[in-house]
Each structure stands twice: as C-alpha cells, then as structure tokens.
Amino acid sequence: MKINGKSVYLKSLSIKDSYFIFNLRKKKKISLYLHSPPKKINDQKNWIKDNIKKKETLDFVIICKKTQKKIGTIGFDKINKLSAEWGRWISLGSTMQNIEAIIILLNYGFNNIKLKKIYSLTNKNNKKVVNFHRKTTAKYDGIKKSLFLINKKKVDAVKYTFTKKKFREFEKNFNFISQSILQ
C-alpha cells in the first residue's frame, strides 16, 4: 500500500526495510526512548514478519518524494473498530516532512479505516516529542504510569488523543503554515 502526500509518501513496511529500520533504531539519540532495539538484523526481520501478519497493526516507511530515500517510520497499533494508537514515529526528515507524514497517517485512519479516535503514547522522557504533541490540537489525556519498559526500567507515558474534529483543526493549521513557507 502507498499513501501519497506532497513531499513524502507512506509505503507499507516490508522485510526489505529491515536494515533501514534496524539502523534507525540503533541510533543513540533515538534508542534512548524506545523499547529495547533488536540486537541482530534477524531479530528485526522476524519482528517485521510477525507484525505484517497482525490485523491490529499497520506499519509504514516514510519516503521523501524528491529523493526516493527512506527517512523514517510511522504506523498504527491496537487498531479496533473505534480507535488506534499511532506511533512508531521515528523520522530523520525535516519538520515539514515529519508533520506531513503524521497528517497522511491520521487522515488515512479517520477516512479509510473510519476510526473515531487516534491516540499516542509517548515516553515521558522524550521531551521533544511530548512538546510536539502539546502544541497540536490533540487532547491531553494524562500520564499512564509505568507503561513502558525501557532499558529494564519502567517509564511513564504521556497520552494525547485526536478526534476527527481535532485532527481537522491540526491539518488546517499545518496547511496554513506550509502554504506560507512555500510561497
């Protein structure tokens, strides 16, 4: 599956993406906030193989349209009839590319999957991403205590939720900013 945007597109995750994902998750600044990264490439391949089969999961690679290079990952987990968690958002793209990838994903969730709510759970220590969520139109839903196990330590998560209405406000704000920058 491919979901197009203006500067990026999302491509369904495949086994061929194993090395890219493995190397992305191994980056020191990124791995601080993630569940333990795989130790070997075969662990990453097996994770992808298993995940592709799950109906409640939908993972993508973010690709820059201009260069056709892979710049990140994003996806849904815990998909059900009403809601899904969006995450697995790791990107080396520009701010505009990163936000566009989110908009493409959430738009797909609300309009194609017909979700009512889409939420994120972010490691509370990942200040950059927590601050990003705080600046969106998503509703703050509090702290989820000891939700993650990161480097053998329990870590709290910060939860933010988009409804379709709140997402449309976010999308409108982004479109206004992106049009201003591009002119």
Side-chain angles (χ1 to χ4, degrees):
M1 174 187 335
K2 182 177 172 183
I3 309 170
N4 272 309
K6 292 178 183 174
S7 66
V8 298
Y9 64 90
L10 307 182
K11 169 192 88 63
S12 293
L13 183 67
S14 74
I15 300 297
K16 293 176 186 175
D17 301 312
S18 298
Y19 286 98
F20 171 72
I21 305 291
F22 179 76
N23 290 322
L24 188 62
R25 295 190 75 212
K26 286 291 211 180
K27 291 186 181 295
K28 209 155 199 83
K29 280 186 173 181
I30 293 170
S31 65
L32 290 172
Y33 307 112
L34 304 177
H35 299 282
S36 301
K39 304 269 188 256
K40 298 179 263 179
I41 189 65
N42 280 341
D43 296 337
Q44 186 67 59
K45 285 180 180 178
N46 289 334
W47 184 88
I48 291 173
K49 262 188 231 177
D50 291 342
N51 238 37
I52 290 171
K53 295 174 191 172
K54 294 179 181 176
K55 292 183 186 210
E56 70 277 0
T57 300
L58 193 54
D59 288 300
F60 297 96
V61 175
I62 305 166
I63 306 205
C64 173
K65 279 186 155 182
K66 187 176 182 179
T67 64
Q68 292 300 304
K69 287 188 177 182
K70 298 173 187 177
I71 60 171
T73 66
I74 196 166
F76 287 126
D77 194 21
K78 301 176 187 89
I79 301 170
N80 61 48
K81 289 181 182 181
L82 299 176
S83 67
E85 176 186 348
W86 80 271
R88 298 189 176 121
W89 180 41
I90 306 170
S91 183
L92 304 173
S94 70
T95 301
M96 297 301 277
Q97 289 171 320
N98 295 341
I99 295 172
E100 184 178 16
I102 295 166
I103 288 173
I104 295 167
L105 180 76
L106 297 182
N107 190 55
Y108 183 81
F110 285 119
N111 293 316
N112 295 74
I113 303 175
K114 305 293 186 202
L115 299 170
K116 302 294 181 212
K117 292 182 179 182
I118 301 174
Y119 63 93
S120 64
L121 294 164
T122 303
N123 178 330
K124 77 166 187 176
N125 298 318
N126 192 342
K127 303 290 185 208
K128 189 175 180 180
V129 175
V130 171
N131 285 334
F132 166 78
H133 288 294
R134 187 177 294 123
K135 293 175 185 174
T136 71
T137 56
K139 178 182 173 248
Y140 173 72
D141 284 328
I143 302 289
K144 305 301 173 197
K145 295 286 187 188
S146 302
L147 188 69
F148 299 128
L149 188 61
I150 311 284
N151 299 318
K152 300 179 183 174
K153 294 179 186 168
K154 290 187 177 185
V155 178
D156 297 345
V158 182
K159 184 176 182 182
Y160 279 90
T161 303
F162 276 108
T163 59
K164 190 171 186 176
K165 181 181 177 186
K166 289 292 184 182
F167 165 66
R168 289 292 170 230
E169 290 172 22
F170 174 66
E171 182 181 39
K172 185 178 175 185
N173 292 344
F174 172 74
N175 287 334
F176 175 76
I177 291 167
S178 66
Q179 292 305 315
S180 299
I181 290 171
L182 297 174
Q183 291 178 355

